[in-house]
Amino acid sequence: MSGQEKFRHLLTPLDLGFTQLRNRVIMGSMHTGLEEVSMERQAAFFARRAAGGVGLIITGGIATSMEGGLGPGSSGMFSEKDAEHHSLITRAVHAEGGKIAMQALHAGRQSFHPMMLAPSAKQSPIYPFPPKAMTEEDIERELSNWANSCRLAQQAGYDGVEIMGSEGYLLNQFLTTRGNERDDAWGGSYENRMRYPLEVVRRVRAAVGPQFIIVYRLSMLDLVPDGQSFDEVITFARELEKAGVNIINTGIGWHEAKIPTIATMVPRAAFAWVTRKVKEAVNIPVSASNRINMPSVAEDIIARGDADMVSMARPMLADPDWVKKAAADREQEINTCIACNQACLDHTFQLRLSSCLVNPQACHETELVYVKTASPKNIAVIGAGPAGLSFASVAAERGHHVTLFDADTKIGGQFNIAKQVPGKEEFHETLRYFDVMLKKHGVKQVLGKRVSAHDVAEFDEVVLATGIVPRKLDLPGADHPKVLSYLDVLRDKKPVGRKVAIVGAGGIGVDTAEYLTHDAHHKPSSLDIPTFLKEWGIDPELKARGGIAGVEEQVDPSPREVWLLQRKTKKITGPGKTTGWIHREALLKKKVQMLTGVSYDKVDDAGLHITVGDKAMVLDVDTIVLCAGQEPQRELQAGIEALGKQVHLIGGADVAAELDAKRAIDQGARLAATV
């Protein structure tokens, strides 16, 4: 069966009457930081995705006014000059046969600047500045700004706009009592609360005319206690259709919500069932969103009638050729988004340029280029973990002759450990992708062999990607039978008791805690939507206001009593600015006891002796698992260099800190691009 047949619903064009989209795939909006860096680099970024076959691209959020920006200096569409600059993007996308819409955004109270406007002077719990309540003059001015910004987008050559009405931004704020406590014609009843966002749509439609795409990003589940009821959402969706919207796109959860919606521990297509309810209520196309990352998942959503389209943002970072590969029946060659957030959202909230853990070229299309080599070399890569896999696949793609060695009988290195952790099942996809790429580009694999310097003596280049060794804990009793390393537990499956102390609460410690608090006989919530909804208190009947009001969480109990310990006094979250809180909440649901500011004294038959502050205590545990850091594994370096060869160190063999897969894959790709 061809890809066109296998994914026929996904790849069917969508006729909007005045224009046609070549398939049902939307590249969803995401802020990458390119918006404030370079129009040329944005053009290259979007054009690359258009060349990959996306039906409709939506830009990152572009402010409709200075007050509506995400922060100081945020990109906006305010003037004829702005439109002229943006035309560079639209021309590049159109040259590749694509269509692109500008996301028009007003952040309201969810912004990092003191000029914020909101329906009411009610501060967001996660943003530092209090907003000013909008006056009638403010409301009228901002309505005009919406219309002007979208008119300028049309002038810039955009095929449409997406009006950002979800995630807790201004229009979403107007719709809820959480953000709107007005008692005038713009607040109070739901009819009044709908008035502002509907007027935005009407003004925009009047400004751009009938033959211009208007997508509305609708918050279908606010996931905050005082959010909209689902009946209100349906009422609003029908009014949006009447006001002239062409496509409704799914939005799930405010940024203020305490429920994960796009992280890797969220099941695939976890919210498509919500989209279906909206689709059944309107007569315009509706797009599903959130944790859709492979063509087979997307095809199933459309085929079973949950949505007319699918919107995916970060999967297009991971693989710009996602659609093209699906159409050619090359799904196994897709570099799958694993929803780790580490190089995209984490970077955004650190005011850094976004990229992608599994695809370092994302947002770096103009400077990280894989050019065919004119002088192929014979290159040995020792270590088939993330760094070695990245280097080997890119170097071979460029035309080098690459031999990949590993002592293990399978590729993957530390990813083989990570993929066992509940919530990290997507790591299987990354290893599948690398396996396919190694074979496609002709990498010779020598597995199950411990390499000596002599084995690589005849190669032109040697890359050492041998990873790490766990750091040993220096305290009395460290060799006690109770003490295991995380590799003993996760890799070697040594037995672990019912009471466990985990020493070290970085990424590895948090992962180990997740692993040990799940019953191996129960399907984790990351693989089962009903279990996920129960665990996070989401109402599958859609009767609770905001989707969660009054819903009790139902969590499978941990099979073990676990203490998670760290020396630092800061709150335990594990790595990841945008996912750390999720890991913490998940472990708290499993009743993991977290202790910070811990000094480790000794281990004996009584358990782990520690001091917290000035209080000495003994944890009566059966097992102590060490997750207290790593050291680079470089034992081959000296022997290889003695042969007169330069050794390239990448990944954990270079820097062992926190087993950083993002850095390892990036480092491997960048070295391979220049060797």
Side-chain angles (χ1 to χ4, degrees):
M1 185 184 295
S2 70
Q4 289 287 344
E5 294 171 316
K6 186 181 295 184
F7 306 116
R8 62 185 182 278
H9 296 90
L10 182 68
L11 299 174
T12 297
L14 179 68
D15 188 359
L16 295 174
F18 59 90
T19 191
Q20 187 180 81
L21 304 182
R22 56 186 171 182
N23 53 56
R24 304 302 180 96
V25 179
I26 294 176
M27 174 179 162
S29 174
M30 54 189 153
H31 196 85
T32 63
L34 288 172
E35 296 85 358
E36 289 77 41
V37 172
S38 165
M39 284 293 174
E40 289 77 13
R41 289 182 65 175
Q42 275 194 91
F45 171 73
F46 288 125
R48 181 69 186 82
R49 275 75 196 164
V54 172
L56 177 65
I57 293 169
I58 299 176
T59 71
I62 306 298
T64 56
S65 70
M66 291 291 290
E67 292 81 0
L70 292 168
S74 292
S75 181
M77 182 67 83
F78 310 142
S79 67
E80 305 277 337
K81 187 175 182 180
D82 292 331
E84 183 180 343
H85 290 160
H86 275 257
S87 66
L88 186 66
I89 294 171
T90 59
R91 288 197 302 270
V93 169
H94 293 154
E96 297 293 350
K99 285 186 167 63
I100 184 166
M102 184 193 84
Q103 187 185 77
L105 167 74
H106 194 301
R109 74 182 195 178
Q110 290 191 165
S111 178
F112 287 98
H113 66 73
M115 301 185 300
M116 291 187 293
L117 296 173
S120 301
K122 193 176 179 185
Q123 186 172 351
S124 165
I126 63 171
Y127 288 82
F129 301 107
K132 172 196 168 189
M134 296 171 75
T135 64
E136 287 284 348
E137 291 76 16
D138 293 328
I139 286 174
E140 181 55 41
R141 184 184 67 253
E142 294 303 313
L143 286 170
S144 296
N145 286 335
W146 278 98
N148 180 60
S149 187
C150 294
R151 177 188 61 80
L152 290 169
Q154 186 178 40
Q155 183 177 317
Y158 284 104
D159 301 284
V161 291
E162 178 177 76
I163 296 174
M164 182 43 152
S166 67
E167 320 307 307
Y169 290 119
L170 180 70
L171 303 188
N172 207 174
Q173 291 162 29
F174 262 98
L175 289 165
T176 70
T177 56
R178 182 181 185 86
N180 184 350
E181 296 178 339
R182 303 175 73 99
D183 58 6
D184 62 3
W186 304 98
S189 68
Y190 192 69
E191 182 180 6
N192 284 356
R193 283 184 273 130
M194 286 193 299
R195 185 180 168 203
Y196 183 84
L198 288 174
E199 187 61 21
V200 166
V201 174
R202 294 185 187 109
R203 297 277 185 106
V204 170
R205 178 54 78 197
V208 300
Q211 297 191 346
F212 191 67
I213 301 169
I214 296 181
V215 182
Y216 192 94
R217 187 74 181 267
L218 171 66
S219 185
M220 298 184 186
L221 276 181
D222 290 329
L223 298 182
V224 288
D226 41 4
Q228 301 167 91
S229 72
F230 196 70
D231 286 343
E232 289 173 342
V233 171
I234 294 299
T235 297
F236 183 50
R238 289 169 173 155
E239 292 300 318
L240 288 172
E241 180 178 359
K242 294 176 188 175
V245 166
N246 302 110
I247 298 169
I248 290 177
N249 197 2
T250 297
I252 301 290
W254 287 38
H255 291 322
E256 300 170 9
K258 295 181 179 180
I259 294 173
T261 57
I262 55 173
T264 190
M265 64 285 297
V266 179
R268 291 182 177 186
F271 300 101
W273 59 279
V274 183
T275 306
R276 183 187 185 103
K277 297 291 186 182
V278 175
K279 178 182 181 297
E280 291 170 349
V282 297
N283 298 302
I284 54 176
V286 178
S287 179
S289 185
N290 292 60
R291 287 290 286 125
I292 302 164
N293 62 355
M294 289 295 278
S296 53
V297 178
E299 173 70 15
D300 286 348
I301 288 170
I302 300 175
R304 66 175 175 252
D306 288 351
D308 303 287
M309 310 177 72
V310 290
S311 175
M312 297 170 289
R314 293 167 305 153
M316 299 304 165
L317 286 177
D319 197 327
D321 291 321
W322 194 98
V323 177
K324 184 182 289 185
K325 289 177 180 178
D329 196 20
R330 293 189 289 130
E331 187 176 24
Q332 291 301 302
E333 291 187 20
I334 288 176
N335 196 0
T336 307
C337 170
I338 61 174
C340 66
N341 292 355
Q342 292 178 33
C344 49
L345 289 181
D346 282 4
H347 280 208
T348 296
F349 282 90
Q350 294 164 352
L351 302 181
R352 299 169 59 191
L353 189 66
S354 291
S355 187
C356 178
L357 182 145
V358 299
N359 176 24
Q361 283 186 305
C363 299
H364 298 279
E365 288 78 11
T366 59
E367 48 101 7
L368 180 55
V369 183
Y370 304 151
V371 179
K372 286 289 185 182
T373 181
S375 304
K377 296 179 179 180
N378 289 318
I379 303 175
V381 182
I382 306 174
L389 293 171
S390 176
F391 176 89
S393 58
V394 173
E397 179 184 346
R398 292 187 57 225
H400 292 297
H401 306 296
V402 180
T403 302
L404 178 64
F405 297 91
D406 200 282
D408 202 342
T409 56
K410 58 184 178 298
I411 66 169
Q414 295 286 332
F415 266 30
N416 285 319
I417 295 169
K419 72 185 184 184
Q420 306 172 73
V421 176
K424 289 196 169 182
E425 293 84 6
E426 293 288 11
F427 282 64
H428 286 272
E429 297 287 6
T430 303
L431 295 182
R432 179 264 309 152
Y433 168 76
F434 276 127
D435 183 51
V436 170
M437 290 299 103
L438 296 179
K439 292 170 181 173
K440 179 175 182 176
H441 298 303
V443 174
K444 181 181 178 182
Q445 299 181 48
V446 181
L447 304 178
K449 174 182 173 62
R450 187 165 290 279
V451 179
S452 68
H454 174 75
D455 292 317
V456 296
E458 302 303 317
F459 286 88
D460 301 319
E461 302 268 358
V462 180
V463 177
L464 205 59
T466 42
I468 57 86
V469 289
R471 185 182 298 145
K472 295 182 179 179
L473 197 61
D474 184 18
L475 83 163
D479 58 351
H480 193 281
K482 288 178 180 281
V483 178
L484 301 175
S485 77
Y486 69 90
L487 290 179
D488 292 329
V489 175
L490 297 174
R491 182 189 65 193
D492 301 332
K493 302 296 186 292
K494 291 187 177 180
V496 177
R498 304 289 292 182
K499 296 181 179 180
V500 184
I502 298 173
V503 175
I508 297 168
V510 168
D511 279 354
T512 302
E514 283 278 0
Y515 179 80
L516 292 175
T517 55
H518 281 76
D519 191 320
H521 302 293
H522 293 173
K523 185 182 287 188
S525 62
S526 53
L527 296 178
D528 186 67
I529 294 173
T531 303
F532 172 79
L533 300 179
K534 289 179 182 179
E535 188 170 300
W536 290 94
I538 301 171
D539 176 20
E541 302 297 324
L542 296 176
K543 294 177 181 177
R545 182 165 288 278
I548 61 169
V551 180
E552 291 187 12
E553 299 169 356
Q554 302 174 49
V555 183
D556 288 334
S558 169
R560 296 180 178 87
E561 190 174 350
V562 176
W563 285 263
L564 184 58
L565 317 173
Q566 72 176 17
R567 294 184 189 274
K568 297 175 183 177
T569 56
K570 70 174 187 177
K571 183 166 64 174
I572 292 173
T573 59
K577 187 173 181 65
T578 55
T579 58
W581 68 271
I582 305 172
H583 295 297
R584 177 181 171 83
E585 288 297 316
L587 292 179
L588 288 173
K589 291 175 191 294
K590 295 286 189 178
K591 302 191 184 306
V592 172
Q593 300 180 60
M594 302 184 190
L595 297 179
T596 62
V598 177
S599 296
Y600 307 106
D601 302 324
K602 67 177 180 179
V603 177
D604 60 20
D605 290 345
L608 177 62
H609 296 249
I610 63 175
T611 302
V612 182
D614 57 359
K615 182 182 178 182
M617 54 195 300
V618 181
L619 299 181
D620 175 18
V621 293
D622 309 306
T623 308
I624 296 111
V625 183
L626 302 184
C627 305
Q630 306 78 228
E631 302 291 344
Q633 171 69 276
R634 300 175 184 164
E635 64 182 39
L636 288 172
Q637 183 179 4
I640 297 170
E641 289 177 340
L643 297 173
K645 294 188 178 297
Q646 179 185 0
V647 175
H648 302 281
L649 296 173
I650 60 173
D654 179 32
V655 179
E658 276 300 338
L659 293 184
D660 190 345
K662 176 183 67 174
R663 178 182 52 77
I665 292 174
D666 181 80
Q667 195 175 23
R670 288 180 182 275
L671 176 62
T674 58
V675 72

